[in-house]
Amino acid sequence: MSLNSYDLVNNVMQGSSYSSSKKKVLIVDDVPKNIDLLKDILAEHYHVQVAKNGLSALKIVALSAPDIILLDIMMPGMSGFEVCEHLKSEASTKDIPVIFLTAATDMEHEIKGFDVGAVDFITKPISPMTTLSRVATHLQLAENDQNNKKIIKKRTKQLDQALESAVYMLGDIGHFNDTDTGVHMWRMADYSAALAKALGWSEEEVELLRLAAPMHDTGKVAIPHSILKSPNKLSEEEWEVMRTHTITGHRILCKSSSPLFKLAAEVALGHHEKWDGTGYPHGLKGDENPLSARIVGMADVYDALTMERCYKRSWSVEEALNYIEEASGSHFDPALVKVFFSIQEELKEIQEKWRLKESVSGE
């Protein structure tokens, strides 16, 4: 190896934090002289582990995961391709960079190697400079990748927190001049999520609905205080104004193209529709009204019945469920009513959870 070649390798090694931290390199090869050669090349800079076949390699990885693997392709029993496929299929090992060791230089082997997840190839006979350079480079790339993932995870968490805060604020806006409390919004959101989960929605869909549900009354921000806080029964003219909160909420929320706010807009528009078509604002009948709106509409009524207000006592769970059952086929989707009844115990648990939170917070 020329002096310039050594300088090149040393520059790569010095530019990496790996040379000083003794990262672990696993060598997997069934030929002892190849193992000895690689150990001689790498031992000064890395902690070297050795496996003579694929199964042994997987056992070592399970006990003490290396930072990079140099993996022979042609081995008796389990081939290097099979070992790599197994590593890439497991969440705990899929990010370990794998460099294949091979005497073959044909395109077919390269395509297969990259397809199963390798990051590079070292061709036999093994060159010390090439080996050191590629190991150092891919360790540094792996470290950079992990750092980037941490940054992305942190920023994603920050965005999620900001989004959740925005949902809280929009929910509060909808009830700012109303008699409903913040607890009502989040309790009925939990009821909605429980019903969606029982219907077989995915975890992601359930969580989207849990966040979308509290925004169902966003449009009430445009309703006059005199109507929202009226102690008397509303006149027909006042009811006409009140009903516009569904359209206003939809108009506000549909300005976003995000899945969450699109769902919230859908819920805001349809949560007062009824199964028999006598609801508002559009008199939708049956499944003309989106399932999300039907779910939130039922959860909203159930929570309103079971919460105490200045003009009514709180109904028991049994009383509220009886009401919903009587309204099956008229106000509510009969299929949803059936599923709602199947989660009675969960509904009680949600109610108790929020009762305790209210007592602690003093709301």
Side-chain angles (χ1 to χ4, degrees), residues 34-48:
N34 289 338
I35 292 175
D36 291 340
L37 176 57
L38 287 166
K39 284 176 66 178
D40 288 343
I41 294 170
L42 298 167
E44 181 182 348
H45 304 285
Y46 307 104
H47 174 69
V48 177

Side-chain angles (χ1 to χ4, degrees), residues 96-113:
I96 300 174
V98 174
I99 298 176
F100 277 128
L101 305 169
T102 180
T105 57
D106 57 284
M107 185 70 72
E108 184 179 342
H109 271 77
E110 286 193 13
I111 293 173
K112 174 69 173 177

Side-chain angles (χ1 to χ4, degrees), residues 44-96:
E44 181 182 348
H45 304 285
Y46 307 104
H47 174 69
V48 177
Q49 300 169 297
V50 172
K52 293 184 178 180
N53 57 65
L55 287 176
S56 295
L58 293 178
K59 289 179 182 178
I60 290 173
V61 171
L63 291 172
S64 179
D67 296 290
I68 195 168
I69 300 173
L70 304 186
L71 179 60
D72 188 27
I73 294 177
M74 304 304 293
M75 295 184 293
M78 199 175 198
S79 73
F81 291 142
E82 291 172 313
V83 173
C84 191
E85 285 180 322
H86 182 86
L87 292 169
K88 299 304 173 181
S89 69
E90 299 290 333
S92 60
T93 57
K94 66 182 179 66
D95 291 330
I96 300 174

Side-chain angles (χ1 to χ4, degrees), residues 195-209:
L195 181 53
K197 183 178 180 181
L199 288 167
W201 286 28
S202 69
E203 183 177 341
E204 182 180 355
E205 291 170 331
V206 169
E207 289 309 308
L208 275 180
L209 187 63

Side-chain angles (χ1 to χ4, degrees), residues 76 135 212:
V135 168

Side-chain angles (χ1 to χ4, degrees), residues 224-295:
H225 301 183
S226 59
I227 294 177
L228 284 175
K229 293 191 172 184
S230 174
N232 305 313
K233 185 177 180 180
L234 298 182
S235 67
E236 185 54 39
E237 290 78 13
E238 289 173 325
W239 265 117
E240 285 298 318
V241 175
M242 176 66 87
R243 292 187 184 106
T244 64
H245 82 275
T246 54
I247 296 173
T248 302
H250 178 266
R251 186 180 300 127
I252 293 170
L253 296 166
C254 74
K255 294 184 184 299
S256 171
S257 61
S258 76
L260 172 59
F261 288 105
K262 286 174 69 175
L263 183 64
E266 184 176 89
V267 165
L269 185 63
H271 71 282
H272 281 297
E273 298 286 2
K274 295 184 179 181
W275 184 253
D276 62 5
T278 61
Y280 66 88
H282 298 308
L284 300 179
K285 188 175 183 180
D287 57 12
E288 292 174 351
N289 191 31
L291 180 56
S292 60
R294 283 179 271 151
I295 290 172

